[in-house]
Amino acid sequence: MLPLSVALKLNDLISFDRNRLSDSQKHLPQGRVISKAECEKLIPGLTIDGLTGAAVFYDAQMYNSERLTLAFLHSAVEAGANISNYTKVTGFLQDKNRITGVKVTDVFTGNCFEIQAKTVINTSGPWVNSVLGLVQPQPDVHQMGLAQAMNVITRPLFKDYAVGLPGKGRFWFVSPWRGKSMIGTWQGVEAQHPDEFQISEASIQGFINEINEAYPPAKLTREDVLFVHQGQLPYKGIDPKTGEPKMLKQYQIRDFAQEGLPGLISVVGVKYTTARDVAQKTIDQVFKSWGQTSPPSVSAKTPLYGGEIADFSAFLRREITTKQSEGFPEETIRSLVYNYGSVYEDVLGYLKKFPQPSSSDDAVLKAQVLYAVDCEMAQTLSDVVFRRTELGSAGELEQSSVQLCAETMANLLNWSQTKLQQELQQVWKINEHHTPILSGV
Ligand SMILES: Cc1cc2nc3c(=O)[nH]c(=O)nc-3n(C[C@H](O)[C@H](O)[C@H](O)COP(=O)(O)OP(=O)(O)OC[C@H]3O[C@@H](n4cnc5c(N)ncnc54)[C@H](O)[C@@H]3O)c2cc1C
């Protein structure tokens, strides 16, 4: 147990400043080592050879990564950025070898236009190679290897804890997720272009088997998997000992001026949780490429859009009490505050536009759809179901809610019956395969 105690102490040392925020709800307590008996009480049915005890430690979990991404975009717009959705980069503007902008295509209309830029930053994730492939002449650079990754959402395995279970060569983390469990992250290698990428049924079944081996009482079957989050992540090669992909551990910021292509910078991120820091370093690199020093970054101390809340519990309690007196159920307000933060009333503001304003769940869902289309560039039903609202976040979609969203969007965007049916089919297809791709906004 000594190594675990040392690891926990090291963790406390490295994260010594983790509780600097004034909101005590965001503070993480110190970890502790527990005995074998206590461990077996918390996780009944463990069959780990030579188990002597375990460590309990604390970490944070994003409530909704899609909505957090939208908060970044709202904040960028507030700070003066221009953003667009469904505009695909299809080429580069070049003055000889200098990159001077991008050619883009509107995915829905096919219209093409150009965007001039002093510097272009390629942040296309798994598409980093294909976007670089649009540059002429082709830079002689190493192509980023892409591994597959997935998390599965299953019936709940544990109630109050996230549990790390040792598997073959890797820990499986079973985290609480919307009353269910999220288990991952599985990684594998199979060469696939990101446009065609799809986790195979065999991989999902293989992962289920590995979880059952690590924790036999789980007895998971394919039917217990309610949803699969999947995506591609950069990797460096295969570990000859385990046969597992060796994932890229460190972000990469590459200024192509070194390759004779000034005006182009590529960024490959490896973790969402480090994105703010990587963005800061990228901006530093942009200024450096202009021969300037970047202004001091304020992003580490500036709350994101919707994050202006000094004390989350107090805020939530106050909003629930106020809105209950207006007829809104507690759960509705809790869910809105968790998803939209301090700006949740912007969503409720849409209720006033209805002929008969109401506080029913259907009315609030319709308001969320209107907000998503009006303020968050939602264009498809999948956008609304999987990337704007919480509806599709744990599988088990409710037919009536999806239908309500579809009809609301159809009215707003003048969809024909055929278009409405196509949008519905697309959502059910994703849900049926339980596999939304972790990319795109
Ligand atoms: C299953 C799974 C679990 C994960 N778990 C965690 C975790 O627990 N913690 C963590 O920190 N990270 C986690 N990650 C990693 C995290 O999701 C990625 O590091 C992060 O999404 C990378 O962000 P990005 O913006 O670089 O790329 P992406 O999120 O892939 O975004 C790239 C964007 O570029 C767009 N694009 C591509 N081509 C073009 C083009 N030609 N024109 C215009 N746009 C284009 C795409 O549509 C996409 O929106 C996980 C990833 C997976 C797959």
Side-chain angles (χ1 to χ4, degrees), residues 87-89 123-127 131 149-151 185 229-233 267 269-274 438-441:
T87 34
K88 183 175 178 178
V89 171
T123 57
S124 53
W127 287 266
V131 171
M150 77 168 133
N151 286 337
T185 298
H229 290 140
Q230 61 166 309
Q232 289 174 299
L233 295 173
V267 182
V270 293
K271 284 266 159 213
Y272 191 150
T273 41
T274 56
L438 273 186
S439 250
V441 171

Short mmCIF file of all heavy atoms in Angstrom, two decimals, residues 87-89 123-127 131 149-151 185 229-233 267 269-274 438-441, ligand 1:
data_model
loop_
_atom_site.label_atom_id
_atom_site.label_comp_id
_atom_site.label_asym_id
_atom_site.label_seq_id
_atom_site.Cartn_x
_atom_site.Cartn_y
_atom_site.Cartn_z
N THR A 87 -19.27 25.10 -42.63
CA THR A 87 -18.46 25.66 -43.71
C THR A 87 -17.15 24.88 -43.73
O THR A 87 -16.40 24.91 -42.76
CB THR A 87 -18.17 27.17 -43.48
OG1 THR A 87 -18.05 27.40 -42.08
CG2 THR A 87 -19.24 28.04 -44.05
N LYS A 88 -16.96 24.16 -44.81
CA LYS A 88 -15.85 23.21 -44.87
C LYS A 88 -14.67 23.82 -45.62
O LYS A 88 -14.86 24.38 -46.71
CB LYS A 88 -16.35 21.96 -45.60
CG LYS A 88 -15.33 20.87 -45.68
CD LYS A 88 -15.93 19.62 -46.30
CE LYS A 88 -14.86 18.56 -46.39
NZ LYS A 88 -15.33 17.32 -46.92
N VAL A 89 -13.49 23.71 -45.05
CA VAL A 89 -12.28 24.17 -45.74
C VAL A 89 -12.00 23.19 -46.88
O VAL A 89 -11.85 21.99 -46.64
CB VAL A 89 -11.08 24.25 -44.78
CG1 VAL A 89 -9.78 24.51 -45.56
CG2 VAL A 89 -11.29 25.34 -43.75
N THR A 123 -7.04 23.30 -36.97
CA THR A 123 -7.38 22.57 -35.73
C THR A 123 -8.43 21.51 -36.07
O THR A 123 -9.43 21.38 -35.37
CB THR A 123 -7.96 23.52 -34.66
OG1 THR A 123 -9.11 24.17 -35.23
CG2 THR A 123 -6.96 24.54 -34.20
N SER A 124 -8.21 20.77 -37.16
CA SER A 124 -9.27 19.89 -37.64
C SER A 124 -9.23 18.49 -37.04
O SER A 124 -9.84 17.56 -37.57
CB SER A 124 -9.24 19.84 -39.18
OG SER A 124 -7.96 19.49 -39.62
N GLY A 125 -8.55 18.31 -35.92
CA GLY A 125 -8.58 17.04 -35.20
C GLY A 125 -8.16 15.88 -36.09
O GLY A 125 -7.10 15.93 -36.73
N PRO A 126 -8.98 14.82 -36.18
CA PRO A 126 -8.61 13.67 -36.99
C PRO A 126 -8.43 13.98 -38.47
O PRO A 126 -7.85 13.19 -39.21
CB PRO A 126 -9.79 12.71 -36.80
CG PRO A 126 -10.47 13.16 -35.56
CD PRO A 126 -10.23 14.63 -35.44
N TRP A 127 -8.94 15.14 -38.90
CA TRP A 127 -8.81 15.51 -40.32
C TRP A 127 -7.52 16.30 -40.58
O TRP A 127 -7.35 16.83 -41.67
CB TRP A 127 -10.02 16.33 -40.78
CG TRP A 127 -11.27 15.52 -40.92
CD1 TRP A 127 -11.73 14.93 -42.06
CD2 TRP A 127 -12.21 15.20 -39.91
NE1 TRP A 127 -12.92 14.27 -41.80
CE2 TRP A 127 -13.23 14.42 -40.49
CE3 TRP A 127 -12.31 15.49 -38.55
CZ2 TRP A 127 -14.32 13.94 -39.76
CZ3 TRP A 127 -13.39 15.00 -37.82
CH2 TRP A 127 -14.38 14.24 -38.43
N VAL A 131 -6.63 17.96 -44.27
CA VAL A 131 -6.61 19.41 -44.50
C VAL A 131 -5.21 19.84 -44.96
O VAL A 131 -5.07 20.62 -45.90
CB VAL A 131 -7.06 20.17 -43.22
CG1 VAL A 131 -6.83 21.67 -43.37
CG2 VAL A 131 -8.54 19.91 -42.95
N ALA A 149 -11.03 5.28 -30.54
CA ALA A 149 -11.30 5.33 -29.10
C ALA A 149 -12.80 5.26 -28.87
O ALA A 149 -13.58 5.74 -29.69
CB ALA A 149 -10.75 6.63 -28.52
N MET A 150 -13.19 4.59 -27.78
CA MET A 150 -14.63 4.59 -27.45
C MET A 150 -14.86 4.51 -25.95
O MET A 150 -14.07 3.96 -25.19
CB MET A 150 -15.38 3.45 -28.13
CG MET A 150 -15.20 2.08 -27.51
SD MET A 150 -16.38 0.87 -28.16
CE MET A 150 -15.29 -0.50 -28.51
N ASN A 151 -15.98 5.13 -25.54
CA ASN A 151 -16.55 4.95 -24.21
C ASN A 151 -17.93 4.34 -24.41
O ASN A 151 -18.61 4.71 -25.36
CB ASN A 151 -16.78 6.30 -23.52
CG ASN A 151 -15.49 6.94 -23.05
OD1 ASN A 151 -14.49 6.26 -22.83
ND2 ASN A 151 -15.52 8.24 -22.88
N THR A 185 -11.42 4.45 -21.23
CA THR A 185 -11.58 4.61 -22.67
C THR A 185 -10.85 3.48 -23.37
O THR A 185 -9.64 3.28 -23.17
CB THR A 185 -11.01 5.98 -23.11
OG1 THR A 185 -11.74 7.01 -22.47
CG2 THR A 185 -11.10 6.18 -24.60
N HIS A 229 -19.83 6.34 -27.35
CA HIS A 229 -19.13 7.55 -27.80
C HIS A 229 -17.89 7.08 -28.53
O HIS A 229 -17.12 6.29 -27.99
CB HIS A 229 -18.67 8.41 -26.61
CG HIS A 229 -19.80 9.05 -25.89
ND1 HIS A 229 -19.86 9.16 -24.53
CD2 HIS A 229 -20.92 9.63 -26.36
CE1 HIS A 229 -20.96 9.77 -24.19
NE2 HIS A 229 -21.63 10.08 -25.27
N GLN A 230 -17.66 7.57 -29.73
CA GLN A 230 -16.49 7.10 -30.46
C GLN A 230 -15.78 8.25 -31.16
O GLN A 230 -16.37 9.28 -31.44
CB GLN A 230 -16.92 6.06 -31.49
CG GLN A 230 -17.90 6.59 -32.53
CD GLN A 230 -18.03 5.67 -33.71
OE1 GLN A 230 -17.04 5.28 -34.30
NE2 GLN A 230 -19.26 5.33 -34.06
N GLY A 231 -14.50 8.07 -31.40
CA GLY A 231 -13.72 9.08 -32.10
C GLY A 231 -12.35 8.54 -32.43
O GLY A 231 -12.02 7.40 -32.10
N GLN A 232 -11.56 9.37 -33.10
CA GLN A 232 -10.18 8.99 -33.43
C GLN A 232 -9.22 9.93 -32.71
O GLN A 232 -9.48 11.13 -32.61
CB GLN A 232 -9.96 9.07 -34.94
CG GLN A 232 -10.68 7.98 -35.70
CD GLN A 232 -10.54 8.17 -37.20
OE1 GLN A 232 -10.98 9.18 -37.73
NE2 GLN A 232 -9.95 7.21 -37.88
N LEU A 233 -8.14 9.35 -32.20
CA LEU A 233 -7.15 10.13 -31.44
C LEU A 233 -5.75 9.85 -31.97
O LEU A 233 -5.46 8.75 -32.42
CB LEU A 233 -7.23 9.76 -29.95
CG LEU A 233 -8.54 10.12 -29.24
CD1 LEU A 233 -8.56 9.53 -27.83
CD2 LEU A 233 -8.73 11.62 -29.17
N VAL A 267 -2.45 22.51 -35.10
CA VAL A 267 -2.51 22.16 -33.68
C VAL A 267 -3.18 20.80 -33.53
O VAL A 267 -4.27 20.58 -34.05
CB VAL A 267 -3.34 23.19 -32.87
CG1 VAL A 267 -3.34 22.83 -31.39
CG2 VAL A 267 -2.79 24.59 -33.08
N GLY A 269 -4.50 18.44 -30.60
CA GLY A 269 -4.76 18.34 -29.16
C GLY A 269 -4.89 16.87 -28.78
O GLY A 269 -5.24 16.05 -29.62
N VAL A 270 -4.60 16.54 -27.54
CA VAL A 270 -4.77 15.14 -27.13
C VAL A 270 -5.79 15.00 -26.00
O VAL A 270 -6.23 13.91 -25.68
CB VAL A 270 -3.43 14.50 -26.70
CG1 VAL A 270 -2.50 14.34 -27.88
CG2 VAL A 270 -2.75 15.28 -25.59
N LYS A 271 -6.18 16.11 -25.39
CA LYS A 271 -7.15 16.09 -24.28
C LYS A 271 -8.02 17.33 -24.35
O LYS A 271 -7.51 18.43 -24.56
CB LYS A 271 -6.40 16.14 -22.93
CG LYS A 271 -5.75 14.86 -22.51
CD LYS A 271 -6.67 14.08 -21.62
CE LYS A 271 -6.32 12.64 -21.58
NZ LYS A 271 -7.44 11.77 -21.42
N TYR A 272 -9.30 17.16 -24.15
CA TYR A 272 -10.18 18.32 -24.05
C TYR A 272 -9.76 19.16 -22.84
O TYR A 272 -9.70 20.38 -22.89
CB TYR A 272 -11.62 17.86 -23.89
CG TYR A 272 -12.67 18.94 -24.05
CD1 TYR A 272 -13.93 18.64 -24.55
CD2 TYR A 272 -12.40 20.26 -23.70
CE1 TYR A 272 -14.89 19.62 -24.69
CE2 TYR A 272 -13.36 21.24 -23.84
CZ TYR A 272 -14.60 20.92 -24.33
OH TYR A 272 -15.55 21.89 -24.48
N THR A 273 -9.43 18.47 -21.73
CA THR A 273 -9.17 19.18 -20.47
C THR A 273 -7.97 20.13 -20.55
O THR A 273 -7.84 21.00 -19.70
CB THR A 273 -8.96 18.18 -19.33
OG1 THR A 273 -8.16 17.11 -19.82
CG2 THR A 273 -10.26 17.64 -18.81
N THR A 274 -7.10 19.96 -21.53
CA THR A 274 -5.95 20.86 -21.61
C THR A 274 -6.12 21.89 -22.74
O THR A 274 -5.19 22.62 -23.06
CB THR A 274 -4.64 20.06 -21.85
OG1 THR A 274 -4.80 19.27 -23.02
CG2 THR A 274 -4.30 19.17 -20.68
N LEU A 438 -17.61 11.69 -32.04
CA LEU A 438 -17.19 12.77 -31.15
C LEU A 438 -16.44 13.84 -31.92
O LEU A 438 -15.26 14.02 -31.79
CB LEU A 438 -16.25 12.22 -30.08
CG LEU A 438 -16.88 11.65 -28.83
CD1 LEU A 438 -15.80 11.29 -27.84
CD2 LEU A 438 -17.84 12.63 -28.21
N SER A 439 -17.15 14.50 -32.81
CA SER A 439 -16.50 15.58 -33.55
C SER A 439 -17.55 16.52 -34.09
O SER A 439 -18.70 16.14 -34.25
CB SER A 439 -15.71 15.02 -34.72
OG SER A 439 -14.34 15.17 -34.47
N GLY A 440 -17.15 17.70 -34.39
CA GLY A 440 -18.08 18.65 -34.97
C GLY A 440 -18.91 19.31 -33.90
O GLY A 440 -19.07 18.80 -32.83
N VAL A 441 -19.39 20.51 -34.23
CA VAL A 441 -20.21 21.22 -33.26
C VAL A 441 -21.64 21.24 -33.74
O VAL A 441 -21.91 21.38 -34.88
CB VAL A 441 -19.67 22.66 -33.09
CG1 VAL A 441 -20.63 23.48 -32.28
CG2 VAL A 441 -18.33 22.62 -32.42
C1 LIG B 1 -14.00 8.09 -26.77
C2 LIG B 1 -13.21 9.33 -26.40
C3 LIG B 1 -13.05 9.68 -25.06
C4 LIG B 1 -12.31 10.81 -24.70
N1 LIG B 1 -12.22 11.12 -23.37
C5 LIG B 1 -11.56 12.23 -23.01
C6 LIG B 1 -11.47 12.59 -21.63
O1 LIG B 1 -11.98 11.89 -20.74
N2 LIG B 1 -10.81 13.74 -21.31
C7 LIG B 1 -10.24 14.54 -22.26
O2 LIG B 1 -9.69 15.57 -21.90
N3 LIG B 1 -10.29 14.21 -23.57
C8 LIG B 1 -10.93 13.08 -23.96
N4 LIG B 1 -10.98 12.74 -25.30
C9 LIG B 1 -10.17 13.52 -26.26
C10 LIG B 1 -10.87 14.77 -26.79
O3 LIG B 1 -12.18 14.45 -27.24
C11 LIG B 1 -10.03 15.33 -27.95
O4 LIG B 1 -8.72 15.55 -27.48
C12 LIG B 1 -10.59 16.65 -28.45
O5 LIG B 1 -11.91 16.48 -28.93
C13 LIG B 1 -9.72 17.19 -29.59
O6 LIG B 1 -10.24 18.43 -29.94
P1 LIG B 1 -9.91 19.11 -31.32
O7 LIG B 1 -10.66 20.41 -31.33
O8 LIG B 1 -8.44 19.13 -31.53
O9 LIG B 1 -10.49 18.13 -32.44
P2 LIG B 1 -11.99 17.72 -32.74
O10 LIG B 1 -12.81 17.76 -31.49
O11 LIG B 1 -11.94 16.44 -33.50
O12 LIG B 1 -12.51 18.89 -33.69
C14 LIG B 1 -12.04 19.02 -35.01
C15 LIG B 1 -13.09 19.82 -35.78
O13 LIG B 1 -12.60 20.13 -37.09
C16 LIG B 1 -13.68 20.02 -38.00
N5 LIG B 1 -13.14 19.84 -39.37
C17 LIG B 1 -12.51 18.77 -39.91
N6 LIG B 1 -12.20 18.99 -41.20
C18 LIG B 1 -12.62 20.24 -41.49
C19 LIG B 1 -12.61 21.05 -42.68
N7 LIG B 1 -12.06 20.61 -43.83
N8 LIG B 1 -13.18 22.28 -42.62
C20 LIG B 1 -13.74 22.75 -41.47
N9 LIG B 1 -13.79 22.03 -40.30
C21 LIG B 1 -13.24 20.79 -40.34
C22 LIG B 1 -14.44 18.79 -37.51
O14 LIG B 1 -15.76 18.78 -38.01
C23 LIG B 1 -14.38 19.03 -36.00
O15 LIG B 1 -15.46 19.83 -35.56
C24 LIG B 1 -11.71 11.62 -25.70
C25 LIG B 1 -11.86 11.28 -27.05
C26 LIG B 1 -12.60 10.14 -27.40
C27 LIG B 1 -12.76 9.80 -28.86
#
